[in-house]
Amino acid sequence: MFRRDVKKIDTLLVQFLRSTGLETPLLQRRLVDAWPEVMGKNVARHTGQVFISNQELWVKINNSALRAELSMMRSDIVERLNNHVGVRIVVDVRFF
């Protein structure tokens, strides 16, 4: 009899994503998509564009008072978003 090398599908998927270079873009997309869920409906209502560039999350906030309030919470927001995804994807948040 021969012995099979049985692996879990999640292990194989992670190996495939890493080998093809798709793991980081997928995690970045998950983080961007998590913005409304993590920040809540009120913030999401005033949010425009959300994108990642050079490990910074850029968020367009249409309300200047909300933008100022969120700017003071930047480190907390980074921690909450990274915890939601489970990996450190962004190191800072910029509001414009």
Side-chain angles (χ1 to χ4, degrees):
M1 289 183 61
F2 59 94
R3 186 173 174 183
R4 294 182 186 194
D5 185 23
V6 179
K7 294 182 181 179
K8 292 184 177 183
I9 189 73
D10 61 341
T11 305
L12 293 173
L13 217 74
V14 169
Q15 288 176 352
F16 172 75
L17 290 173
R18 283 187 183 152
S19 68
T20 57
L22 295 174
E23 183 180 31
T24 301
L26 179 64
L27 291 171
Q28 289 176 345
R29 182 79 248 164
R30 288 165 100 191
L31 189 132
V32 168
D33 290 344
W35 174 260
E37 182 181 342
V38 171
M39 296 309 296
K41 292 180 182 179
N42 189 33
V43 174
R45 185 176 33 227
H46 296 287
T47 299
Q49 289 180 303
V50 180
F51 62 92
I52 297 176
S53 177
N54 297 329
Q55 291 186 317
E56 292 180 333
L57 181 68
W58 290 80
V59 183
K60 172 76 172 159
I61 300 293
N62 301 326
N63 183 315
S64 60
L66 180 61
R67 185 180 321 119
E69 184 178 341
L70 291 174
S71 292
M72 292 185 283
M73 301 171 42
R74 286 179 16 205
S75 61
D76 180 50
I77 293 169
V78 167
E79 184 179 334
R80 288 168 54 190
L81 287 167
N82 285 331
N83 286 340
H84 184 82
V85 176
V87 180
R88 186 173 179 210
I89 299 295
V90 293
V91 294
D92 198 9
V93 178
R94 304 283 182 175
F95 300 102
F96 65 99

